[in-house]
Amino acid sequence: MTDTNKAAPEPLLHIDNLGFSYGEKEILRGLDAQIGTGELVCIVGPSGAGKTTLLQCLSGLRPATSGAVRFRGRPIAGPPAEMAVVFQDYSHSLMPWLSALDNVALPLKSAGLGKKERQQRALEALEEVGLAGSEQKYPWQLSGGMQQRVAIARALAYRPAVIVMDEPFASVDAQTRADLEDLTLRVRQHLDITVLLVTHDIDEAVYLSDRVMVLAGKPTTVADMITVDLGRERDQIETKADPRFAGLRSQVYRLIRRPDAADAALAASGR
Amino acid sequence: MKPTRNPWARTGAGLAWHLWLPVLLVAGSLLLSQQFSSHYFPPLRTIAEQTWVIWFDGGGMAENLLPSLLRLLAGFCAAVVAGVLLGTLLGLMPRTEEALRPLTDSFRAIPGAALLPIALMFFGTGEAMKIVLIAFISMWPIMLNTIDGVRSVNPTLGQVMESFKLRPLDRFWHIYLPAAAPQVFAGARTALAIGVAVMVVVEMFGTPGGLGYFIRHAQENFQVVAMWTGMLVLGVFGYLLNALFRAFEKRILNWHHAMVAHTQGASS
Ligand SMILES: Nc1ncnc2c1ncn2[C@@H]1O[C@H](COP(=O)(O)OP(=O)(O)OP(=O)(O)O)[C@@H](O)[C@H]1O
Ligand SMILES: [Mg+2]
């Protein structure tokens, strides 16, 4: 492991034959994947497929029923300190009795940072997501999209090695959504953060990802891991106009729409 | 009711709303007590005069009101601390709470007065007995409400605490306590009323000093007027205490009232 270079990032997260059931109800079966340091992987799949459940297993919030998740080689037991989560249910993930600033700063307090430093970091993170000026507002005084951005700021300010986001841009307008997508790309680039992001939007998945994890089937399995070779520099207009973008987009779309086509796709691609 | 523009008029209306009953009662008893002279219901004028003489001129405040106040505060604060701590622990440990429920339920069901002989036996008639009994009896509504409040924390917030690795103390101060605060305050308001009642009773049976002691002592010595002044002071004491508590609650729960007003405003 001495000569690992940027071209072959050392896997940060191993998903080994992961299975999960809510009681009798089997949701996930035999998931395998490896996610490298600094990689951005989007997870797509039909509603109810178990994407949120998968993220909870990956972030140590739910123990797997079978198989294992390893983070830096060690099996996950409880949430790792180096991971931050942006929850799908954002309105309940913020404390209504704390201002936006204090919501972002509280985890930093627990991490042992001094008052000045955590205020500073929280302010920076809120500015980064475009909420400068709303620091003192309470979450319920903010729109859904703004609340969602507070939750994202909280994860950014935490400066994790891995950031796990569950449909983080679901309730923001198109322009803000594009801005936040580019922010995610920027943050990944500058801070070398590994990003796992669940989305319903296939365009978004292809636009953001290094690889797209497509979930399908019943119980859910990994239908495919699609490598998006569009380079690290992405542009909202140019990237989306690229013919390869359209090709990848329809590839993902087909996998989701016809889960049973996953095997056919595998056979066709000769792997 | 039409909204009143003038803030002075509004304050006046609010004050009138609060005071009409006391004023009516005072006026009524002034009139009535002049009609007939009963030894047991002395004229209000006499009571008022004697209240001044006994409580203000004669140092009754320092001798009997202050000890009551301090004692109540000590017992009530102990009840709040114990109720919130126990309530938080039991709220977070549902299995333990279930296992202890027969015990807590039966303790709660015992009327406070029944505990008096036991407390007298263990703690004597001094200060310890009084404060312990005030604290113990008024703790229950706070504890039970805290249990409910802590359980009302949303599961998503539970995951936030887990994934961001909040320290136990931060969870207590910044999550559980604020989440439970509206219920804790509701419980504490009940507890305060119970505390005043317990205070009067324990003072009647305990060592000298305090409103309860004063009232009982006056009654035993056939000082009927003095006894009534004690009742008057007790009434005003209770009223002011409650008003003070509400003002404090309003301050602390500012965010909550604003949020409720905001969400209601948005939905209507
Ligand atoms: N706590 C739970 N107990 C039992 N079943 C659950 C629980 N949470 C989710 N499920 C079920 O597990 C399945 C997967 O749920 P999950 O929330 O992981 O799906 P998802 O892919 O995130 O869906 P969406 O895209 O709508 O967010 C669903 O059928 C759901 O009803
Ligand atoms: Mg979900």
Side-chain angles (χ1 to χ4, degrees):
Chain A
M1 283 280 177
T2 45
D3 256 5
T4 41
N5 52 25
K6 282 253 175 221
E10 149 195 2
L12 187 67
L13 210 58
H14 288 259
I15 304 169
D16 277 341
N17 198 22
L18 177 74
F20 187 88
S21 309
Y22 286 112
E24 291 288 282
K25 193 169 155 199
E26 190 179 12
I27 306 290
L28 306 172
R29 180 189 286 178
L31 270 69
D32 280 303
Q34 297 186 354
I35 289 146
T37 305
E39 221 183 347
L40 200 164
V41 175
C42 283
I43 302 168
V44 295
S47 185
K51 301 183 294 296
T52 298
T53 307
L54 173 61
L55 285 193
Q56 286 173 342
C57 292
L58 297 184
S59 54
L61 290 167
R62 264 186 210 285
T65 311
S66 63
V69 177
R70 282 180 292 136
F71 179 63
R72 295 197 197 285
R74 281 190 303 277
I76 277 187
E82 295 171 89
M83 215 182 258
V85 183
V86 176
F87 292 88
Q88 181 171 10
D89 187 7
Y90 57 89
S91 65
H92 287 122
S93 86
L94 299 173
M95 281 67 92
W97 47 85
L98 295 182
S99 66
L101 185 72
D102 289 341
N103 263 289
V104 176
L106 183 58
L108 307 180
K109 181 170 196 275
S110 273
L113 264 68
K115 189 171 171 104
K116 246 203 163 133
E117 196 180 349
R118 50 181 201 258
Q119 292 254 325
Q120 185 59 36
R121 265 211 220 174
L123 281 174
E124 276 171 22
L126 282 169
E127 194 180 339
E128 192 109 56
V129 298
L131 283 180
S134 298
E135 298 91 354
Q136 297 305 332
K137 293 234 170 76
Y138 289 105
W140 39 270
Q141 294 174 313
L142 303 172
S143 71
M146 289 163 98
Q147 292 176 25
Q148 185 66 295
R149 283 185 273 159
V150 175
I152 295 170
R154 174 168 64 188
L156 290 179
Y158 196 63
R159 301 212 182 137
V162 185
I163 187 165
V164 173
M165 306 167 120
D166 199 350
E167 299 191 30
F169 315 135
S171 59
V172 299
D173 60 277
Q175 185 52 48
T176 311
R177 185 178 192 130
D179 290 347
L180 289 175
E181 286 171 2
D182 290 334
L183 169 72
T184 308
L185 288 172
R186 225 170 38 242
V187 162
R188 192 275 303 259
Q189 198 87 311
H190 291 163
L191 305 177
D192 218 22
I193 291 182
T194 306
V195 181
L196 288 173
L197 191 150
V198 165
T199 177
H200 268 133
D201 185 335
I202 294 169
D203 280 38
E204 179 172 275
V206 175
Y207 177 66
L208 289 175
S209 298
D210 297 322
R211 286 187 297 159
V212 180
M213 182 192 286
V214 184
L215 299 180
K218 231 173 186 33
T220 299
T221 53
V222 180
D224 203 354
M225 272 296 242
I226 296 170
T227 304
V228 179
D229 46 0
L230 295 173
R232 276 224 157 179
E233 295 294 326
R234 310 275 167 102
D235 179 273
Q236 290 283 355
I237 296 166
E238 275 172 32
T239 307
K240 287 180 180 173
D242 192 318
R244 286 176 300 171
F245 181 90
L248 288 160
R249 198 181 158 282
S250 34
Q251 191 183 348
V252 174
Y253 190 68
R254 272 191 218 103
L255 282 167
I256 291 181
R257 199 176 46 173
R258 289 191 294 127
D260 44 299
D263 301 323
L266 273 176
S269 66
R271 278 186 291 164
Chain B
M1 219 166 58
K2 258 186 239 161
T4 325
R5 293 274 134 67
N6 185 341
W8 287 108
R10 214 168 29 206
T11 318
L15 217 58
W17 198 243
H18 272 275
L19 291 180
W20 70 270
L21 186 60
V23 168
L24 195 73
L25 286 177
V26 167
S29 49
L30 264 175
L31 282 175
L32 281 179
S33 57
Q34 264 157 6
Q35 303 292 318
F36 57 87
S37 60
S38 153
H39 179 67
Y40 298 114
F41 296 99
L44 199 66
R45 259 187 60 116
T46 322
I47 296 176
E49 279 165 12
Q50 281 302 301
T51 303
W52 177 261
V53 171
I54 295 172
W55 293 93
F56 292 88
D57 257 6
M61 288 281 176
E63 195 184 329
N64 286 313
L65 186 63
L66 193 63
S68 281
L69 181 64
L70 294 179
R71 186 171 293 145
L72 180 67
L73 281 184
F76 179 69
C77 290
V80 170
V81 171
V84 167
L85 286 182
L86 283 174
T88 308
L89 286 177
L90 292 179
L92 294 181
M93 300 188 292
R95 297 302 303 262
T96 312
E97 192 265 329
E98 236 168 84
L100 291 180
R101 204 173 293 160
L103 196 69
T104 51
D105 274 356
S106 45
F107 261 126
R108 194 162 55 102
I110 299 172
L115 294 172
L116 189 63
I118 303 170
L120 285 169
M121 189 169 78
F122 280 109
F123 298 101
T125 53
E127 208 57 51
M129 176 276 285
K130 298 176 193 171
I131 293 176
V132 165
L133 219 52
I134 294 172
F136 187 79
I137 298 173
S138 62
M139 178 189 81
W140 299 102
I142 303 178
M143 190 188 92
L144 294 171
N145 276 28
T146 308
I147 291 177
D148 281 348
V150 162
R151 295 208 176 139
S152 73
V153 168
N154 191 284
T156 304
L157 223 44
Q159 295 194 330
V160 170
M161 292 189 263
E162 288 292 312
S163 69
F164 284 103
K165 300 222 156 276
L166 294 198
R167 287 185 303 215
L169 217 55
D170 287 333
R171 293 182 192 207
F172 175 70
W173 281 114
H174 301 292
I175 311 278
Y176 289 117
L177 203 53
Q183 270 132 305
V184 171
F185 269 102
R189 216 181 309 129
T190 312
L192 189 60
I194 297 174
V196 173
V198 176
M199 174 197 85
V200 172
V201 173
V202 294
E203 286 176 345
M204 285 182 169
F205 286 89
T207 47
L211 273 167
Y213 171 79
F214 177 89
I215 291 170
R216 185 173 130 111
H217 184 78
Q219 184 263 328
E220 280 179 337
N221 291 286
F222 307 106
Q223 298 162 339
V224 177
V225 178
M227 183 191 82
W228 281 108
T229 67
M231 299 298 288
L232 185 64
V233 171
L234 182 61
V236 174
F237 174 76
Y239 180 83
L240 289 181
L241 220 57
N242 197 44
L244 216 67
F245 182 83
R246 277 181 186 274
F248 177 67
E249 173 178 349
K250 204 170 162 189
R251 244 187 95 88
I252 300 285
L253 288 186
N254 207 358
W255 69 268
H256 187 251
H257 298 311
M259 179 176 79
V260 170
H262 181 90
T263 42
Q264 279 173 354
S267 65
S268 68

